[in-house]
Amino acid sequence: MIEVKALQKRFKLTKAHQQKGKSTDVRERDGYFHSVQDVSFTCNRGEVLGLLGPNGAGKTTTLRMLSTALKPDNGEIHINGQDVVAKPLIGRKAIGFLSGSTGLYGRLSAKENVEYFAKLHGLKGRALKARCDELFEVLDMGSFLDKRAEHLSTGMKQKANIARAVVHQPDVVVLDEPTTGLDIMTTQTVINFIRDLKNQGTPVIFSTHHLDEVALLCDRICVIDRGVSCFDDSVENFKVKGQSQELNQAFMNLLQGDTYV
């Protein structure tokens, strides 16, 4: 499981930005932009957590802290009881992370890319082949395994990126908008893969703007708004708090009201 408690992260504003005058964003103060002010949530074994929030809410900064690319100014991140803020190397081994900036080496084939990252995680020999073959089948990658990454379609690249992110069988998987820009068939493959992770007991944190995907996949929802986690509970309680059985409307109601919990 993963437990996130009271994360905070701020960034120093440039002098040029400060000289523009008073900002309407309440997170700009004292010469800093407080991107994440107080974010907490939990995702247990076999759960999918939908991470929601408007653009600029602090989701990406939160996810970068989970990946250990950014160190929190304050707060805690524990994976199976291990403090990954204090021990980032453990965090990198424990987390499979896919973001919009996750990339492939263009001159390598899809297969070579996945195998390369498997080797970086210490896989070799029969174990490496077995794990890669499993992912290639589950993600339906057989038709383009030998194509160079620079010639792959968006959907093909995303499948290869997912494979490289989870090839080391991480304890937690973090997916940042994994279906953006994908066609219907590739989106369904990704959705089925997330379901497989859930069935295997792997906690999945799934950032998305598509609430229909949340309805299909998620057990819990965390909403971040203005750098604060304003909701962290079950999907059913999200509907109750948002006063609607429709997730889109519940989301809007929760952000517009004073129902932060």
Side-chain angles (χ1 to χ4, degrees):
M1 68 177 296
I2 180 168
E3 297 176 279
V4 174
K5 298 180 181 178
L7 285 188
Q8 296 179 6
K9 186 65 182 177
R10 65 179 187 174
F11 301 95
K12 191 169 183 61
L13 297 170
T14 65
K15 289 184 179 179
H17 184 87
Q18 294 181 62
Q19 289 170 355
K20 289 182 178 180
K22 188 175 181 180
S23 172
T24 58
D25 194 324
V26 296
R27 287 183 288 171
E28 290 188 16
R29 58 184 185 272
D30 306 322
Y32 289 89
F33 177 67
H34 296 256
S35 177
V36 173
Q37 303 186 90
D38 185 3
V39 167
S40 301
F41 56 82
T42 301
C43 188
N44 296 305
R45 282 184 53 80
E47 287 185 340
V48 178
L49 172 76
L51 190 64
L52 308 180
N55 290 333
K59 299 190 304 298
T60 297
T61 301
T62 298
L63 293 176
R64 291 182 68 192
M65 286 189 280
L66 297 188
S67 74
T68 74
L70 284 177
K71 185 176 181 180
D73 295 328
N74 287 293
E76 302 175 13
I77 303 170
H78 289 90
I79 297 177
N80 296 334
Q82 293 275 1
D83 182 349
V84 301
V85 174
K87 301 174 182 177
L89 288 179
I90 290 176
R92 287 166 201 159
K93 292 178 181 178
I95 292 177
F97 184 75
L98 173 71
S99 75
S101 59
T102 300
L104 302 169
Y105 292 105
R107 290 183 172 274
L108 298 182
S109 68
K111 180 180 180 181
E112 289 168 338
N113 267 284
V114 178
E115 289 177 342
Y116 172 72
F117 285 99
K119 291 174 183 176
L120 288 181
H121 284 289
L123 274 72
K124 56 185 177 182
R126 291 180 180 177
L128 183 150
K129 184 179 187 306
R131 176 58 176 161
C132 289
D133 287 349
E134 176 189 10
L135 289 172
F136 297 154
E137 180 177 354
V138 169
L139 290 167
D140 192 23
M141 295 174 60
S143 64
F144 59 88
L145 280 177
D146 296 320
K147 281 189 178 181
R148 283 167 61 161
E150 60 190 1
H151 300 311
L152 299 179
S153 69
T154 299
M156 293 173 182
K157 287 179 180 176
Q158 190 69 328
K159 288 182 180 181
N161 277 325
I162 291 172
R164 62 155 280 195
V166 302
V167 70
H168 59 302
Q169 294 182 295
D171 296 325
V172 177
V173 174
V174 180
L175 303 173
D176 186 8
E177 300 185 23
T179 62
T180 298
L182 303 185
D183 61 30
I184 294 173
M185 295 301 293
T186 306
T187 295
Q188 189 60 50
T189 299
V190 174
I191 287 172
N192 290 341
F193 183 71
I194 295 172
R195 284 176 172 154
D196 287 343
L197 290 171
K198 176 179 176 177
N199 291 336
Q200 293 163 19
T202 304
V204 179
I205 297 172
F206 175 56
S207 171
T208 183
H209 289 292
H210 303 293
L211 294 188
D212 56 332
E213 294 174 355
V214 172
L216 284 172
L217 294 168
C218 294
D219 305 282
R220 297 178 61 85
I221 291 175
C222 175
V223 179
I224 299 177
D225 185 30
R226 292 164 288 181
V228 175
S229 51
C230 58
F231 182 88
D232 174 33
D233 208 332
S234 68
V235 174
E236 285 307 310
N237 285 339
F238 177 78
K239 295 175 183 177
V240 173
K241 276 289 179 184
Q243 301 176 10
S244 176
Q245 289 299 303
E246 295 182 6
L247 294 185
N248 280 8
Q249 190 59 55
F251 177 73
M252 295 300 298
N253 291 345
L254 190 138
L255 290 187
Q256 291 170 2
D258 294 320
T259 55
Y260 286 13
V261 295

